[in-house]
Amino acid sequence: MMSATVMVIQEEKWVRELIHAFLKTKGYKVIEVNEGSEVIELLKIREPDLILLDAEMPGINSLEVCAKIRSRSRLPILFISYRKELSFKIQSLDAGGDDFITKPFDFNELEARIRAVLRRTGWTKETDDLAMLRFGDLHIHADARQVYVAGKPIHLNHKEFQLLLLLAKQPNRVWTAEQLYNQIWGYYSAGELQTVKVHISNLRRKVEKDPANPIYIRTIRGFGYKFAHSAN
């Protein structure tokens, strides 16, 4: 049973109530919101673990709402929409969304996507076990989503943090670029593997003493990448 809190931003009351009832049976806590304009103010006093954002909310631009949320928070965002065109899905992801599900959907698929997004973004029931990951002078605060190198805070964007946490949670596991892309971005296209390389390069520049000779984020020639368990 999950105990994460999900904020459901959905104008149609009957849809909100159905989602609420289903997620409650799975052990989730649910915050219902019927107007997108309320979200930013509500997030100042109540912060969920994940946001379900309806792309067809009347009177608002869901992409702008997503961007506003993302500008102040790394909270994972899962879009719900009737729209099926790839261009809108890409716009939603570019605005800061973590995944996208098309209506009508099966509730079990919705819950599976929620679980997958929560895993990718570092949520865990064992919060205390992963509250702090320490590797030499690199400290990762999983719950606070903060990274420190030699005691100094390092700014990572949303995807950089997700990628670092994914690697660090399973030290010494070797990942292909395709696996990393699928885990973090939620879909795969051969033309997008450069995105992984760019994010790996950015992470090394920010957390490694010598990015050209990394001690944490290492390349396994001919296969992919791994996070070294120690700096030795």
Side-chain angles (χ1 to χ4, degrees), residues 2-103:
M2 301 290 282
S3 58
T5 299
V6 176
M7 178 178 285
V8 181
I9 306 171
Q10 167 64 244
E11 187 261 346
E12 296 176 293
K13 182 179 179 181
W14 69 274
V15 177
R16 284 201 321 274
E17 291 178 346
L18 282 175
I19 293 174
H20 189 158
F22 175 78
L23 292 181
K24 187 175 180 180
T25 67
K26 297 295 184 178
Y28 294 86
K29 300 173 184 177
V30 179
I31 302 169
E32 292 189 35
V33 181
N34 64 359
E35 291 187 18
S37 58
E38 299 176 355
V39 176
I40 302 303
E41 289 302 313
L42 186 57
L43 286 174
K44 293 178 181 179
I45 56 175
R46 301 187 69 182
E47 185 164 295
D49 298 298
L50 179 141
I51 293 174
L52 286 181
L53 177 58
D54 185 0
E56 281 80 39
M57 293 284 285
I60 67 166
N61 184 317
S62 61
L63 299 179
E64 290 181 359
V65 171
C66 178
K68 286 181 180 178
I69 295 171
R70 183 60 68 237
S71 70
R72 68 175 301 276
S73 172
R74 292 192 176 99
L75 285 173
I77 299 170
L78 171 55
F79 271 92
I80 307 171
S81 177
Y82 287 113
R83 299 177 65 174
K84 298 181 180 180
E85 61 268 29
L86 178 60
S87 60
F88 184 72
K89 293 181 180 180
I90 291 173
Q91 283 182 307
S92 301
L93 295 169
D94 284 344
D98 293 276
D99 203 353
F100 189 104
I101 188 168
T102 303
K103 301 177 187 176

Side-chain angles (χ1 to χ4, degrees), residues 208-222:
E208 301 278 3
K209 290 181 179 179
D210 181 0
N213 297 286
I215 58 175
Y216 297 118
I217 305 170
R218 299 184 182 178
T219 297
I220 306 303
R221 191 175 299 277

Side-chain angles (χ1 to χ4, degrees), residues 41-232:
E41 289 302 313
L42 186 57
L43 286 174
K44 293 178 181 179
I45 56 175
R46 301 187 69 182
E47 185 164 295
D49 298 298
L50 179 141
I51 293 174
L52 286 181
L53 177 58
D54 185 0
E56 281 80 39
M57 293 284 285
I60 67 166
N61 184 317
S62 61
L63 299 179
E64 290 181 359
V65 171
C66 178
K68 286 181 180 178
I69 295 171
R70 183 60 68 237
S71 70
R72 68 175 301 276
S73 172
R74 292 192 176 99
L75 285 173
I77 299 170
L78 171 55
F79 271 92
I80 307 171
S81 177
Y82 287 113
R83 299 177 65 174
K84 298 181 180 180
E85 61 268 29
L86 178 60
S87 60
F88 184 72
K89 293 181 180 180
I90 291 173
Q91 283 182 307
S92 301
L93 295 169
D94 284 344
D98 293 276
D99 203 353
F100 189 104
I101 188 168
T102 303
K103 301 177 187 176
F105 50 77
D106 181 273
F107 281 109
N108 288 310
E109 180 188 358
L110 175 65
E111 201 261 334
R113 286 179 179 268
I114 289 172
R115 283 189 280 111
V117 171
L118 287 171
R119 283 197 305 270
R120 291 201 302 268
T121 54
W123 186 90
T124 175
K125 287 187 287 186
E126 294 80 21
T127 305
D128 292 339
D129 293 341
L130 287 177
M132 172 77 83
L133 299 175
R134 295 181 174 88
F135 304 94
D137 64 0
L138 173 61
H139 294 178
I140 305 168
H141 294 248
D143 51 355
R145 304 202 173 200
Q146 296 290 327
V147 176
Y148 294 84
V149 174
K152 296 181 180 180
I154 303 299
H155 174 73
L156 301 181
N157 67 33
H158 182 55
K159 294 301 184 186
E160 289 169 352
F161 182 84
Q162 286 182 268
L163 182 57
L164 178 62
L165 187 61
L166 176 68
L167 292 166
K169 282 169 61 179
Q170 299 186 62
N172 293 322
R173 170 177 173 173
V174 180
W175 299 80
T176 66
E178 291 91 342
Q179 288 172 328
L180 291 174
Y181 194 91
N182 185 268
Q183 286 287 319
I184 300 302
W185 283 267
Y187 64 98
Y188 169 67
S189 171
E192 298 295 340
L193 295 186
Q194 185 64 26
T195 298
V196 175
K197 295 179 181 179
V198 169
H199 280 71
I200 291 289
S201 177
N202 289 342
L203 278 176
R204 285 172 171 163
R205 180 170 50 82
K206 293 179 179 182
V207 306
E208 301 278 3
K209 290 181 179 179
D210 181 0
N213 297 286
I215 58 175
Y216 297 118
I217 305 170
R218 299 184 182 178
T219 297
I220 306 303
R221 191 175 299 277
F223 194 85
Y225 307 94
K226 76 171 185 177
F227 188 94
H229 189 273
S230 70
N232 297 325

